[in-house]
Amino acid sequence: MKCKICNDKAVMNGFCSKHYVEWFENQVFKTIKDYQLLSPDEKIAVAVSGGKDSKSLLYILSKKFNVTAIAIDEGIPGYRDVLLEGLRQFCKDLGVKLKVYSFKQEFGLTLREIVDSRKFKNSGLKPCSVCGVFRRYLLNKHAKSFDKLATAHNLDDEVQTVIMNVFKNNKDLLLRIGPITSKKKGFVQRAKPFYFLKEKQVAAYAFLKGFLPRFNECPFSYGLRSNVARLVNNLEVKMPGFKKNFIQAFLKIKQLAAKQGFESFNNVCKVCGEPSSKPVCKTCELVLRFNPGFKQLLKV
Ligand code: SF4
Ligand code: ZN
């Protein structure tokens, strides 16, 4: 099959590699414009992991916006350190400043140390539950000096996250969905320029641009998200357009919930002062559980 624009061989979405890259970048800039995600006069923090999606996002945004990369080092030897090494070089080549914040520095323990502890083993928790809470907390905390925090979440991520949060009966998810989160005291607005692009479209872009890191998988990842991803992909095959329809329906529910005055996170944590729906936020609860002597949080 030939490219829709030129006579070269089509590789993705009916485009050759050159025109696919152009199409993809235009889609990203269109979402940014249509949903007023970012503006050239703003200071933008870009959450980066060293993986293909966030490298692609950083690369594209750096063409038009004032960006700084922010990465979180959870302390997962053989995984995050390898990705961070590649990321440092990537940011250097791009001329973008990279700031790295670690669990060890901020909470006194690496994720590896937490997971290896007896307390964790008896807790019934999964590493991802602790990791996700800590990472979101640190990104929000350190992006506060910026106007927005851009993340590389794509359509597949968002559908999976909604389904997983429904399974867990987590109503706070409504605050986080959408191409841009609403303005709320204590929270940096999160913008998701890949919001309407599928995982495989982002992967194709990253592949064509040479942004794929050396394959390595987090040793703590477990099946729930990949099971949900499989389920969602099967539904998309049976009902083409499922992912987009699903997320549009959720965005409507969010609008209705906002009209009803749905509120959450309307307190501040009495330990660290960050926004929280309970007197002590989830991060402080976990830190004090696994590292009771750690007082640094009180300084926030
Ligand atoms: Fe953290 Fe889980 Fe992701 Fe590993 S797979 S980096 S533990 S959230
Ligand atoms: Zn707290």
Side-chain angles (χ1 to χ4, degrees):
M1 199 168 92
K2 294 254 160 72
C3 170
K4 294 178 205 174
I5 297 178
C6 68
N7 264 337
D8 279 0
K9 191 172 160 237
V11 293
M12 185 75 188
N13 278 26
F15 294 114
C16 67
S17 53
K18 173 175 170 270
H19 288 116
Y20 179 74
V21 164
E22 267 177 33
W23 171 83
F24 184 92
E25 292 182 3
N26 286 337
Q27 292 299 306
V28 175
F29 291 128
K30 184 174 182 314
T31 301
I32 292 174
K33 186 162 172 261
D34 290 353
Y35 290 85
Q36 299 175 356
L37 301 191
L38 311 170
S39 141
D41 57 1
E42 289 176 328
K43 273 178 19 183
I44 315 292
V46 184
V48 285
S49 64
K52 61 183 181 1
D53 297 12
S54 58
K55 276 159 79 181
S56 300
L57 180 66
L58 185 66
Y59 173 79
I60 296 171
L61 295 187
S62 71
K63 292 183 174 204
K64 293 196 182 180
F65 300 97
N66 174 7
V67 292
T68 299
I70 295 191
I72 306 299
D73 180 3
E74 304 91 344
I76 310 174
Y79 172 64
R80 185 65 68 208
D81 46 352
V82 175
L83 286 175
L84 284 176
E85 201 186 303
L87 184 61
R88 283 195 179 89
Q89 188 59 48
F90 185 79
C91 289
K92 200 171 163 203
D93 295 344
L94 215 53
V96 169
K97 187 169 180 191
L98 169 68
K99 296 182 171 187
V100 182
Y101 302 96
S102 72
F103 284 9
K104 181 77 177 177
Q105 190 188 1
E106 304 266 347
F107 306 127
L109 291 172
T110 64
L111 187 64
R112 175 89 260 173
E113 287 167 339
I114 294 171
V115 171
D116 287 345
S117 70
R118 190 184 300 255
K119 273 187 194 162
F120 181 84
K121 286 181 180 138
N122 294 331
S123 71
L125 288 167
K126 295 270 189 277
C128 298
S129 316
V130 177
C131 185
V133 170
F134 283 6
R135 201 179 38 228
R136 277 194 297 276
Y137 179 93
L138 290 184
L139 283 173
N140 189 61
K141 178 180 162 189
H142 292 291
K144 278 188 185 163
S145 54
F146 294 85
D147 296 299
K148 303 264 174 61
L149 172 66
T151 67
H153 291 103
N154 58 48
L155 182 62
D156 291 64
D157 295 327
E158 193 81 340
V159 175
Q160 291 158 18
T161 301
V162 170
I163 293 177
M164 285 163 67
N165 279 295
V166 170
F167 286 168
K168 292 176 190 163
N169 188 21
N170 178 9
K171 69 178 167 41
D172 294 340
L173 85 109
L174 282 173
L175 284 174
R176 292 192 211 119
I177 71 163
I180 184 152
T181 56
S182 35
K183 274 193 185 149
K184 184 131 183 68
K185 192 166 176 282
F187 283 104
V188 181
Q189 270 190 294
R190 285 176 173 232
K192 303 170 194 167
F194 289 171
Y195 199 78
F196 297 107
L197 290 159
K198 292 180 185 167
E199 161 73 31
K200 66 175 183 195
Q201 292 173 323
V202 181
Y205 176 84
F207 172 76
L208 293 171
K209 294 296 291 177
F211 294 161
L212 296 189
R214 180 152 55 88
F215 178 77
N216 75 348
E217 196 181 356
C218 176
F220 302 135
S221 74
Y222 74 108
L224 180 59
R225 189 170 278 272
S226 43
N227 285 334
V228 172
R230 237 187 332 270
L231 172 81
V232 170
N233 285 334
N234 286 339
L235 288 169
E236 178 76 26
V237 172
K238 289 196 177 118
M239 295 182 276
F242 164 78
K243 293 175 187 173
K244 228 172 195 167
N245 292 339
F246 180 91
I247 220 63
Q248 298 288 15
F250 245 87
L251 290 175
K252 283 200 189 104
I253 294 173
K254 186 182 174 181
Q255 268 175 4
L256 291 174
K259 278 191 197 141
Q260 302 279 318
F262 171 87
E263 271 293 344
S264 184
F265 290 98
N266 40 10
N267 293 317
V268 287
C269 168
K270 65 182 182 194
V271 179
C272 71
E274 289 288 299
S276 174
S277 55
K278 296 189 183 143
V280 174
C281 75
K282 190 78 189 158
T283 299
C284 289
E285 184 201 312
L286 288 168
V287 173
L288 296 173
R289 186 164 167 188
F290 296 115
N291 197 6
F294 193 71
K295 290 281 183 286
Q296 202 151 325
L297 278 174
L298 294 167
K299 289 184 199 157
V300 176

